[in-house]
Amino acid sequence: MVDSLDLLIRDARACQDCALAATRTQVVVGEGCVPSDLMIIGEGPGAREDELGRPFVGRSGRLLDRLIEEELGRTRGQTYIANVVKCRPPNNRDPRPEEMDACASLLERQLMLVAPRVVLLLGRVAVSRVLRSKASLGSLRGRLYDLDGVVVIPTYHPAFALRGGAARLTEMRVDFARAHLLLEEGRP
Ligand code: URA
């Protein structure tokens, strides 16, 4: 089968593979440019995202947009943004392992279609899932990882930076700037 974005969206919207299907308003598949040199992966939709069917459109999303513009010199539409799980976990709890398992093939297909050179992982849940590590985010952050030839940069979730003040935000800026440098290196 030759995969496409249309097929992926169709499959995601029809998905009933975990309990989150029963409580979602909309499936938040992801959005942006396909293919894209940069993919950003968060945890899962919140209330606003569930309502609008788009990733990172609440308070965290506004900070994310700012970081993309100020540190990467581009707009969110010039990246691809998705989440580890595509349906909102009730009361914004962490997604459960079986929910992330049920969504894993959609994320893998997104990675194949987007074919990024650099992936930014936002927050503990996305980092531990994609890097398959139980280590703390604090200990994983600050280094680059290789995922089948893709450079992976773990960083904080924007919600964590919003709660944590200037120091965390500065660290996030450093991580985004690092992604920018790597992306620029590959340009003619
Ligand atoms: N937090 C996430 O991890 N993803 C979203 O889409 C919104 C908030």
Side-chain angles (χ1 to χ4, degrees):
M1 176 191 86
V2 178
D3 205 3
S4 70
L5 195 57
D6 286 348
L7 271 178
L8 177 96
I9 292 169
R10 191 199 64 187
D11 292 347
R13 288 188 178 153
C15 182
Q16 297 287 334
D17 289 352
C18 81
L20 298 181
T23 51
R24 73 182 176 221
T25 308
Q26 299 198 54
V27 179
V28 181
V29 186
E31 70 179 21
C33 201
V34 178
S36 172
D37 57 356
L38 174 66
M39 181 158 162
I40 299 174
I41 304 176
E43 176 178 324
R48 193 87 183 118
E49 290 77 20
D50 175 65
E51 205 179 298
L52 298 178
R54 299 179 55 209
F56 282 100
V57 285
R59 226 174 135 230
S60 293
R62 285 194 289 282
L63 176 57
L64 178 62
D65 289 352
R66 248 178 65 206
L67 290 170
I68 293 172
E69 280 163 29
E70 293 171 10
E71 302 302 335
L72 294 161
R74 56 172 85 185
T75 63
R76 67 147 54 203
Q78 293 170 308
T79 70
Y80 187 83
I81 304 178
N83 284 302
V84 169
V85 294
K86 314 302 185 213
C87 298
R88 183 188 180 206
N91 304 316
N92 297 340
R93 64 159 169 77
D94 284 358
R96 298 190 172 127
E98 65 272 20
E99 294 160 355
M100 295 192 275
D101 289 344
C103 246
S105 69
L106 289 175
L107 186 61
E108 275 162 30
R109 287 169 63 189
Q110 282 174 311
L111 279 161
M112 295 293 285
L113 288 165
V114 177
R117 286 201 294 116
V118 175
V119 168
L120 270 163
L121 298 176
L122 305 183
R124 176 181 50 82
V125 170
V127 170
S128 61
R129 178 75 195 185
V130 174
L131 294 182
R132 300 253 162 220
S133 171
K134 288 191 167 40
S136 70
L137 175 52
S139 66
L140 294 168
R141 203 203 133 256
R143 273 177 287 158
L144 304 177
Y145 299 81
D146 176 88
L147 189 80
D148 302 324
V150 179
V151 182
V152 177
I153 305 178
T155 191
Y156 298 123
H157 193 283
F160 187 68
L162 283 169
R163 289 194 304 270
R168 278 187 203 147
L169 185 55
T170 303
E171 287 180 294
M172 272 192 98
R173 285 192 182 281
V174 168
D175 297 332
F176 275 64
R178 198 155 195 202
H180 187 224
L181 261 181
L182 287 165
L183 291 164
E184 287 299 305
E185 269 172 18
R187 284 187 201 281

